[in-house]
């Protein structure tokens, strides 16, 4: 799903970039097990403008990052913003519903504010599971049904309204597909006081169980 103008504005601004780097990324890093080796090759699904690609390199220090986004405009921005990494990064147009990768190809998968945009989000979860190596991590930042279907946000953003998940449903489904939740945090608990922002941003880290 390609974002409308309002969503592009919300996703591409210095305030969000600051929060991504200095708050949200550090929460993800906190939940990363200390015994995890150096990341060799990781994937970001829905890379937007490349901000998270740079954060992943700076904080997690993988040897290589693959990244994809459905929007060609965003891919163009991401490529421009990550030129410094040269051959260590590969950014392409693509969809999480059909990831062009062999099975168990990545040490970790990063998905920030992505799966709630996918019509068949359960199939997207299966694709993440397919390309992720056992015992490695899926970093997930998501918005949920109360936020997505709120009349105000529905009027300005082009979110899919049908079959959207709530936090319990999302976590329960991933656990049924071979993941375990190892860390979860509401980005701003104070926002729960206002229904307008309820379920707007949750940060979760899952580990793929080795069967």
């Amino acid at each position: 799903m390609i974002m409308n103008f309002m969503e592009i504005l919300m996703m591409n601004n210095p305030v969000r970039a600051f929060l991504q780097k200095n708050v949200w990324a550090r929460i993800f890093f906190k939940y990363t097990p200390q015994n995890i080796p150096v990341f060799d090759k990781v994937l970001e699904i829905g890379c937007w403008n490349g901000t998270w690609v740079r954060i992943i390199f700076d904080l997690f220090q993988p040897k290589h990052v693959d990244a994809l986004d459905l929007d060609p405009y965003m891919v163009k921005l991401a490529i421009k913003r990550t030129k410094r990494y040269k051959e260590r990064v590969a950014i392409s147009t693509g969809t999480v519903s059909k990831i062009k990768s062999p099975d168990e190809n990545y040490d970790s998968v990063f998905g920030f504010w992505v799966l709630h945009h996918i019509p068949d989000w359960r199939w997207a979860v299966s694709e993440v599971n397919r390309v992720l190596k056992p015992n490695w991590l899926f970093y997930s930042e998501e918005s949920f049904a109360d936020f997505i279907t709120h009349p105000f946000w529905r009027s300005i953003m082009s979110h899919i309204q049908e079959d959207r998940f709530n936090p319990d449903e999302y976590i329960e489904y991933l656990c049924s597909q071979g993941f375990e939740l190892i860390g979860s945090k509401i980005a701003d608990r104070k926002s729960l006081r206002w229904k307008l922002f309820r379920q707007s941003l949750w940060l979760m880290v899952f580990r793929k169980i080795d069967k």
Side-chain angles (χ1 to χ4, degrees), residues 62-200:
K63 295 180 182 178
H64 183 87
V65 175
D66 285 341
L68 61 88
D69 198 278
L70 185 64
D71 191 335
Y73 173 72
M74 288 295 176
V75 169
K76 184 177 180 179
L77 281 180
I79 290 173
K80 182 178 180 180
R81 293 186 176 188
T82 59
K83 288 192 297 184
R84 73 178 80 168
Y85 303 107
K86 300 180 180 180
E87 70 278 356
R88 295 177 61 201
V89 62
I91 300 175
S92 61
T93 304
T95 173
V96 65
S97 298
K98 191 175 181 180
I99 301 172
K100 296 178 181 179
S101 168
D103 295 353
E104 299 183 359
N105 191 39
Y106 295 104
D107 295 333
S108 287
V109 176
F110 297 81
F112 306 120
W113 233 36
V114 175
L115 293 183
H116 66 273
H117 286 283
I118 309 299
D120 189 349
W121 61 270
R122 295 175 184 84
W123 179 259
V125 168
S126 72
E127 276 290 273
V128 171
N129 194 350
R130 180 182 68 80
V131 302
L132 181 61
K133 295 178 182 177
N135 288 320
W136 287 85
L137 306 176
F138 173 40
Y139 296 86
S140 179
E141 171 198 34
E142 280 299 334
S143 294
F144 295 97
D146 277 4
F147 174 74
I148 294 168
T149 60
H150 189 282
F152 174 75
W153 298 114
R154 192 172 61 216
S155 69
I156 65 173
M157 295 191 294
S158 55
H159 282 131
I160 297 168
Q161 299 295 301
E162 296 77 23
D163 190 30
R164 298 304 87 188
F165 43 77
N166 59 45
D168 290 341
E169 181 182 6
Y170 182 71
I171 293 170
E172 181 179 342
Y173 185 75
L174 265 78
C175 289
S176 75
Q177 299 302 302
F179 291 93
E180 65 173 346
L181 180 68
I182 61 175
S184 175
K185 185 176 179 63
I186 304 172
D188 183 2
R189 287 187 178 274
K190 293 180 180 179
S191 70
L192 293 179
R193 299 175 185 173
W194 303 317
K195 190 174 181 180
L196 183 64
F197 295 100
R198 190 171 297 165
Q199 296 188 5
S200 60

Side-chain angles (χ1 to χ4, degrees), residues 53-70:
V53 172
R54 296 191 297 186
I55 294 171
I56 291 167
F57 270 118
D58 293 345
L59 194 59
F60 295 91
Q61 300 182 345
K63 295 180 182 178
H64 183 87
V65 175
D66 285 341
L68 61 88
D69 198 278
L70 185 64

Side-chain angles (χ1 to χ4, degrees), residues 13-25:
N13 66 80
V15 174
R16 181 175 175 83
F18 176 86
L19 291 172
Q20 287 174 313
K21 181 177 181 179
N22 296 285
V23 181
W24 304 337

